[in-house]
Amino acid sequence: MDIQFNLSTIKEAVQSLWNAGKDTKVWVFHGEMGAGKTTVIHALCEQLGVKQAISSPTFAIINEYNSPIAGAIYHMDWYRMRDEEEAIQAGIEDCLLSGNYCFVEWPEKAENILPEKVFNVYLKATDHENRLLTVNA
Ligand SMILES: Nc1ncnc2c1ncn2[C@@H]1O[C@H](COP(=O)(O)OP(=O)(O)OP(=O)(O)O)[C@@H](O)[C@H]1O
Ligand SMILES: [Mg+2]
């Protein structure tokens, strides 16, 4: 599935994304720096009714939100992680195995701790404001 969107149509885009991926708990977001991974995850969390302030997990590695629709959500950014060992130290494996939704940016950093079944989301900037979202559904 391909979805073209910009910031004025992101709500509809994340709703379609949710419908496509909701049966899988661990979602991995692929895309270059600035592709829009955090922006999409924030819009998705808002769509899922998260009331907490949604911040960038860059410095925390793991942010936990609560959604009336999805339950606990772990938003993780693995960019600063060196490898699997560091990920395990940070408690990331526990999140992945918790059965809660996990939205992961930069999954490439610790690929080997990901479960077999993940929902892959690919994001690409097509120009300044438009993005192409592709999923393996
Ligand atoms: N259609 C769009 N979707 C998402 N972001 C957009 C869009 N149009 C413009 N932007 C802008 O592009 C930037 C995307 O930044 P964002 O932090 O979401 O990227 P990222 O993929 O998480 O980067 P990083 O790898 O550094 O974490 C934001 O400044 C956002 O406002
Ligand atoms: Mg980000």
Side-chain angles (χ1 to χ4, degrees):
M1 182 179 76
D2 278 1
I3 308 170
Q4 283 271 6
F5 69 98
N6 55 41
L7 291 180
S8 65
T9 56
I10 195 167
K11 270 189 163 194
E12 291 85 346
V14 295
Q15 187 59 52
S16 305
L17 185 63
W18 174 247
N19 294 340
K22 64 182 175 206
D23 292 340
T24 307
K25 294 294 182 167
V26 177
W27 294 30
V28 295
F29 288 76
H30 306 272
E32 288 174 12
M33 222 175 262
K37 301 179 292 296
T38 302
T39 306
V40 165
I41 291 168
H42 286 184
L44 178 59
C45 288
E46 267 178 24
Q47 197 71 8
L48 293 173
V50 171
K51 296 284 180 235
Q52 290 110 318
I54 305 171
S55 56
S56 174
T58 304
F59 298 102
I61 301 177
I62 306 168
N63 276 359
E64 185 179 346
Y65 310 127
N66 218 65
S67 155
I69 296 162
I73 297 172
Y74 295 114
H75 175 195
M76 296 178 257
D77 185 340
W78 294 359
Y79 186 74
R80 274 157 216 276
M81 205 104 62
R82 247 189 330 248
D83 53 24
E84 279 78 9
E85 198 184 320
E86 203 177 322
I88 292 164
Q89 293 289 329
I92 282 173
E93 232 184 1
D94 300 332
C95 294
L96 294 173
L97 295 170
S98 67
N100 295 313
Y101 281 98
C102 295
F103 299 150
V104 180
E105 299 184 46
W106 293 103
E108 300 82 6
K109 292 289 177 125
E111 231 165 23
N112 295 325
I113 64 165
L114 287 167
E116 211 171 300
K117 189 170 185 248
V118 298
F119 181 59
N120 283 293
V121 180
Y122 300 88
L123 264 167
K124 201 175 151 66
T126 48
D127 63 35
H128 202 63
E129 60 226 35
N130 292 292
R131 301 291 187 269
L132 179 64
L133 216 162
T134 308
V135 301
N136 61 352

